[in-house]
Each structure stands twice: as C-alpha cells, then as structure tokens.
Amino acid sequence: RAGVRYESFSSRELLQSTKSGPMWQVRTELGAQHDFEPWPRLLLSPALRVELHDSRYEPDEGATTGAGSVDEQYWSPSLGARLLTLPGLFVRANVGRYVRPPDIGELFGDRGAVVGNPRLRSESGLNADAGLSYLLAGDGALSLLRLDAAWFGAWVEDLIAYVQSSQSTVRPENVDDARIQGAEASARAR
C-alpha cells in the first residue's frame, strides 16, 4: 500500500493587517503485508510500514524567528496471527510498533487557543492485543451468532498532551510515558 497526505495552513488577521506564513506538512506512507499459512488453520500476517514526514513553516510578518522544518522517518513492523482451534472458534493476536507524529496544528498552532510546539517529539510505542472469536452461521431461526472478547494494551513513550500555558491558550507537550490496557467483548446475533 502507498499513501500521501498533504496539509497546509496560513492565516490573515484583517484587523491588524498581518498574516502568518504558510505552514505545510507532507506525510508519505509505504507499506507491505503478506498473509500466509505455514500450517493448516494458522494464518500469519507480517507487515512493515515506513513513513516519511516533511513539515515546513514560514515566520509570521514581523516575527523575530526564521523559517523552520521538521523532517522525520519512521519504521513500524507488526505481526498478526489467527488460529482456528475448533470449528468456528478463532484465537487471534497482534503486536506492532506504532508512531504518532505531531500533526500540523500541534507543531505550528492555530493562531488562536493552540500555541504550536515545533520541538515536539513523536509518540511511539508498542501496541498488542489478543482475543477469541466464535462464529456460528447456519440456516434456521438463528442464522448468525458471533461472540468476540479481546484484551488490548499500549505502552507509549513521549505522550503528546495539551498543557494549559495561559488562561486562554494551550500548548502541546511531550509529557510522559503511558501504559494503557483494556478489555472489550461483543455479541451479535441474527
């Protein structure tokens, strides 16, 4: 898979007759995944994704600081597995590295309540989940029954959070690490 995302922002103050220079960000993503069955009833899905980020900003009119840029590259490997244990019962698990780079608003602000922070580091971490799925399909009064239960977790470094910097503004900061865990279950019948 391949993808490109482009964001741009500039502003003009009509009352003060000033404008901010253009800010833009290009994110390019390339990824590959291969599904294969090394044994009957076991499906493995290794994947590798690389992201290239190029962010640029021009100074505001009258600003004392110059233009700036943020260029980064991220590698995100992952592995998924699904095993059919009994008819209709699947055990599944996934693990992978993820990266969430700052978006254009976090880097450069919105010229209002959000003050930008071009020194932000990307969030990165490890995501994992494991669960069971049961699927029963047939004819009759109950044509479908699906039960799912899963545990998930994330271990995040350099969490990006908005911190109040004055009474009316917030600024994104890398605050700390985070450990997130949870469980979910669902049932569907037709």
Side-chain angles (χ1 to χ4, degrees), residues 20-157:
S20 69
M23 296 167 267
W24 55 267
Q25 184 175 67
V26 177
R27 295 182 183 188
T28 305
E29 176 185 324
L30 301 170
Q33 177 176 328
H34 177 67
D35 297 338
F36 68 99
E37 292 185 73
W39 300 289
R41 302 172 7 152
L42 175 64
L43 177 70
L44 295 178
S45 299
L48 179 63
R49 186 178 73 221
V50 63
E51 293 183 51
L52 307 170
H53 295 209
D54 184 20
S55 303
R56 306 266 183 233
Y57 59 98
E58 298 294 328
D60 292 351
E61 285 182 350
T64 57
T65 59
S69 66
V70 179
D71 299 308
E72 296 178 296
Q73 174 181 323
Y74 309 101
W75 294 87
S76 299
S78 63
L79 177 65
R82 185 184 73 197
L83 176 66
L84 176 62
T85 57
L86 299 170
L89 181 63
F90 293 92
V91 176
R92 63 186 192 288
N94 296 286
V95 65
R97 179 177 186 268
Y98 90 94
V99 176
R100 188 189 81 76
D103 64 30
I104 196 168
E106 291 167 334
L107 287 173
F108 309 127
D110 65 1
R111 304 296 187 243
V114 178
V115 176
N117 184 356
R119 289 185 205 78
L120 277 177
R121 294 179 307 278
S122 296
E123 286 184 13
S124 63
L126 182 70
N127 280 340
D129 64 79
L132 301 170
S133 292
Y134 178 72
L135 180 63
L136 174 66
D139 297 328
L142 184 64
S143 62
L144 174 74
L145 175 64
R146 180 176 179 135
L147 305 171
D148 292 293
W151 164 88
F152 58 90
W155 296 263
V156 183
E157 296 176 4

